[in-house]
């Protein structure tokens, strides 16, 4: 697992690494108010592509990139990973998925003491099928919100998207909402909140070669306020979004292959209605994708992957963008 800190103009300030000795992957990173950087992901139990993994939570020093202490893990004996991390008032909340008692994958949420990584509580949701909190995690009032997929029969089958609210103090489920009726495949991955509403980004499968980028908004009781989609006859999907309070809009980062190869698509969406106000497509001669974003005033930072630039088949990508007004980096 490699963690890099960049300055606002893209210079590398430091690089930190963690290696279990096997194959490791990171899926989410967040910085706490005390400067500790938390990274969630997984490690494999062998160097072959097997179906047994261990969920891993790591801490890095925000000033130097040095690893702090030991990792925290869970291992259900099946596929385990952490996809959501948030920190508040000395508590770390993590979400992901693991194997349930019935042998199927279940959605999991944990609360940990940030000082010593002792478990405060945990909870899980299990439809009896394949369930995963494979989306992000956001803090919202007295709950944590996680997103993912529900009762999945696999990418070639069907699934509902799910958003669930867990009480911060004890992990009890306050509400959960589903998108889709289970007749197609839908998945929620990106989450954001303005304090009054929670917004979600993901996709739905039309055919095996046609996915639509999807957006949803929910109120404080989990009722859906609106649903919106963007795309054409090619593959469009989204994993990340942020909220811009200046004009009450969402900034969405996703991927489209309408130009043959995958490109990064950036949308500005009306947070009140879900209507797309602006769109930008950015990419090179090969595949480029967006995995996560951070919004800071008029600046937008996108992390993802690229095979258009770099030294290998797929390399990590970070780009800085001005979104008010739009100004994207050159592609040559």
């Amino acid at each position: 697992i490699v963690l890099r800190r960049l300055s606002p103009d893209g210079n590398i300030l430091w690089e930190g690494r963690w290696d279990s000795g096997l194959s490791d992957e990171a899926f989410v990173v967040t910085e706490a108010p005390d400067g500790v950087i938390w990274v969630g992901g997984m490690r494999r139990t062998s160097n072959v592509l097997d179906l047994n993994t261990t969920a891993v939570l790591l801490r890095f020093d925000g000033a130097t990139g040095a690893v702090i202490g030991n990792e925290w893990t869970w291992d259900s004996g099946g596929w385990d990973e952490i996809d959501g991390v948030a920190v508040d008032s000395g508590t770390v909340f993590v979400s992901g998925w693991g194997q349930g008692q019935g042998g199927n994958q279940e959605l999991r949420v944990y609360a940990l003491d940030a000082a010593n990584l002792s478990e405060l509580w945990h909870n899980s949701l299990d439809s009896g099928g394949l369930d995963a909190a494979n989306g992000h995690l956001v803090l919202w009032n007295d709950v944590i919100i996680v997103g993912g997929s529900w009762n999945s029969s696999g990418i070639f089958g069907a699934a509902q998207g799910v958003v669930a609210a867990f009480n911060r103090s004890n992990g009890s489920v306050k509400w959960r909402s589903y998108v889709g009726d289970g007749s197609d495949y839908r998945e929620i991955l990106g989450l954001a909140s303005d304090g009054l509403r929670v917004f979600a980004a993901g996709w739905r499968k039309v055919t095996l070669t046609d996915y639509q980028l999807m957006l949803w908004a929910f109120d404080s009781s989990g009722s859906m306020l609106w649903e919106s989609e963007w795309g054409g006859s090619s593959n469009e999907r989204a994993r990340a979004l942020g909220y811009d309070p200046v004009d009450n809009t969402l900034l969405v980062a996703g991927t489209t292959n309408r130009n043959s190869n995958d490109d990064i698509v950036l949308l500005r969406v009306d947070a009140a209605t879900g209507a797309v106000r602006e769109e930008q497509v950015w990419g090179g001669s090969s595949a480029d994708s967006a995995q996560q974003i951070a919004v800071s005033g008029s600046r937008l930072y996108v992390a993802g992957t690229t095979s258009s630039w770099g030294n290998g088949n797929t390399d990590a990508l970070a780009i800085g963008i001005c979104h008010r007004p739009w100004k994207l980096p050159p592609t040559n």
Side-chain angles (χ1 to χ4, degrees), residues 169-183:
S169 61
N170 59 22
S172 61
V173 178
K174 189 169 185 178
W175 54 259
R176 50 179 153 167
S177 296
Y178 305 98
V179 298
D181 59 7
S183 62

Side-chain angles (χ1 to χ4, degrees), residues 149-169:
S149 56
W150 184 255
N151 199 20
S152 170
S153 58
I155 191 63
F156 297 108
Q160 291 177 285
V162 62
V163 174
F166 295 82
N167 188 295
R168 288 203 208 186
S169 61

